[in-house]
Amino acid sequence: MKTEPGGTPLKVVSWAGNSLTILDQTRLPQQEIYIQTTDYRDVITAIKELKVRGAPAIGVAAGYAAALGALKIKAATLNVFFKEFDKVLEEIVSSRPTARNLFWAVERMRCVSCDGDNVATIKERLVNEAVAIQAKETESSTQMSVHGAALIPDNAVILTHCNTGVLATAALYGTALGVILRAAENGKNIRVIATETRPLLQGARLTTWEALRADIPVTLITDSMAGHFLSRGLVTCVIVGADRIAANGDTANKIGTYSLAVLAKENKTPFYVAAPYSTVDLSLATGKEIPIEERNSKEVTHIQGVAIAPEGCPAFNPAFDVTPHRYISAIITEKGVIRKPYGKGLKTLRQA
Ligand code: MRU
């Protein structure tokens, strides 16, 4: 993995026994600042403010937040402990609504807490489970990169949206960017076109930063330029990540993904989604049921704190959109690559 000049993987979220360290992604690429905390509320704030972001990384951080919350509970009886722990979990699930991985991680933590006959044992099990969640996402992103890289031809120009690298997974590889990194590691000649990803510029700030660290040629475009490059046949394929995948394959991802999928279909360009199975939500029949986060309109009227619109101008700010499954050429997961009909494939993979 060439994500760091010295070969050391990025420490996006790291656990040290009873404290958590988070790389503050809002300060990148200018500054590499780490936040260290033993307070689960700091982790919730970091998730809300996108200091830690990207569906799998949010899940990993949520697992550690639950562990930190549990460690702080002073309870002599199991009843008191469960009451307090429930409150902690409720606070964590209210941090961001769209990424499935957050709820998946919290459910895993809730399940583990049910098994144990004293508070000390349960706390220990919760810490171990949070570590296991990160290990699982690490393994998943590595496997996903292997499956996805097989779809990428040599000399590919890959258009990607938002940031889907190690920063978004807190693992060794990313989702979509993990596939790209692996294809490059396998010796393929790859060039990346990264969309800037307004309003919060995850593509401009983070994807370019990660790609350059990995020595992968990357060119930045504004979101509205994508159609131009696709229409001229200059893009081999589009690969994006996912925040939640419904049972029929409809996929919520960063706002702007749907437009890219439509443009890709119009221009007969493969459109791939890469996501761990922890992003799949079989309880939702279609993408219409996926909750879409609406963020502060200031993120649209301002860029990094500087106003770009008249004062008081209203703005919409949905953070995600839903791409109907018919636009998706394949979904890449750690369990394998699936194609239409996604309903059947996603269900079958649950057992795999
Ligand atoms: O608002 P963000 O930055 O958390 O949104 C991230 C994305 O939309 C990513 O594309 C997504 O989480 C999938 S890849 C890890």
Side-chain angles (χ1 to χ4, degrees):
M1 188 69 191
K2 294 187 290 176
T3 49
E4 294 260 340
T8 321
L10 273 172
K11 287 203 162 114
V12 178
V13 176
S14 40
W15 179 249
N18 60 1
S19 75
L20 190 68
T21 303
I22 291 173
L23 171 58
D24 182 349
Q25 299 188 32
T26 61
R27 308 290 285 272
L28 291 172
Q30 284 82 11
Q31 290 170 303
E32 216 171 304
I33 308 259
Y34 292 85
I35 306 157
Q36 194 180 5
T37 185
T38 55
D39 187 341
Y40 77 96
R41 290 193 183 95
D42 289 339
V43 184
I44 293 176
T45 304
I47 294 173
K48 285 183 179 165
E49 294 179 355
L50 272 59
K51 291 183 161 93
V52 56
R53 45 139 306 277
I58 292 171
V60 169
Y64 287 124
L68 288 175
L71 290 178
K72 281 281 157 67
I73 296 172
K74 290 189 173 56
T77 66
L78 283 175
N79 271 352
V80 175
F81 175 81
F82 286 135
K83 223 168 141 192
E84 291 302 308
F85 189 55
D86 256 0
K87 283 191 216 155
V88 169
L89 295 185
E90 285 320 303
E91 279 182 66
I92 297 170
V93 292
S94 64
S95 57
R96 291 194 76 185
T98 304
R100 167 68 188 152
N101 311 59
L102 172 81
F103 303 90
W104 169 82
V106 165
E107 271 327 297
R108 274 184 66 151
M109 297 302 279
R110 197 189 299 277
C111 266
V112 160
S113 72
C114 297
D115 204 7
D117 47 19
N118 65 69
V119 173
T121 317
I122 293 174
K123 286 183 179 179
E124 196 185 320
R125 285 171 56 86
L126 283 166
V127 169
N128 292 342
E129 186 65 4
V131 172
I133 286 171
Q134 186 165 25
K136 167 73 184 142
E137 291 297 38
T138 301
E139 195 196 316
S140 296
S141 82
T142 303
Q143 282 309 316
M144 206 188 322
S145 73
V146 172
H147 295 309
L151 300 175
I152 310 298
D154 197 13
N155 299 316
V157 176
I158 305 175
L159 193 145
T160 190
H161 189 53
C162 197
N163 170 266
T164 61
V166 173
L167 291 170
T169 55
L172 270 181
Y173 286 81
T175 58
L177 194 56
V179 168
I180 294 169
L181 290 172
R182 175 71 80 164
E185 275 183 6
N186 289 353
K188 288 175 184 165
N189 177 28
I190 306 289
R191 279 181 300 137
V192 175
I193 297 179
T195 51
E196 63 174 351
T197 321
R198 272 284 285 151
L200 294 179
L201 304 173
Q202 290 92 331
R205 295 186 301 106
L206 309 177
T207 299
T208 54
W209 187 73
E210 276 200 67
L212 291 171
R213 288 166 79 90
D215 291 333
I216 295 177
V218 57
T219 307
L220 180 64
I221 61 169
T222 66
D223 299 336
S224 53
M225 292 175 188
H228 168 78
F229 291 99
L230 279 153
S231 70
R232 300 215 160 178
L234 298 172
V235 176
T236 313
C237 63
V238 178
I239 313 184
V240 297
D243 283 79
R244 202 183 286 227
I245 301 176
N248 68 345
D250 292 353
T251 294
N253 191 50
K254 180 53 59 193
I255 192 78
T257 302
Y258 168 55
S259 325
L260 288 175
V262 175
L263 283 166
K265 193 171 181 95
E266 166 71 14
N267 291 288
K268 300 184 175 42
T269 306
F271 180 90
Y272 301 123
V273 169
Y277 201 78
S278 51
T279 304
V280 176
D281 187 351
L282 293 182
S283 76
L284 305 184
T286 75
K288 288 200 172 77
E289 295 169 50
I290 299 176
I292 299 295
E293 178 179 12
E294 183 72 34
R295 293 184 63 83
N296 195 318
S297 60
K298 211 171 164 193
E299 292 177 353
V300 175
T301 56
H302 291 62
I303 295 186
Q304 306 217 301
V306 179
I308 55 159
E311 206 183 321
C313 175
F316 288 127
N317 191 12
F320 302 96
D321 58 25
V322 174
T323 299
H325 60 90
R326 65 179 180 280
Y327 292 105
I328 301 170
S329 313
I331 299 178
I332 303 156
T333 77
E334 73 276 25
K335 299 171 181 230
V337 174
I338 54 168
R339 293 184 189 267
K340 294 169 190 118
Y342 293 113
K344 193 170 162 228
L346 289 170
K347 235 185 191 163
T348 311
L349 281 193
R350 186 164 51 168
Q351 266 72 262

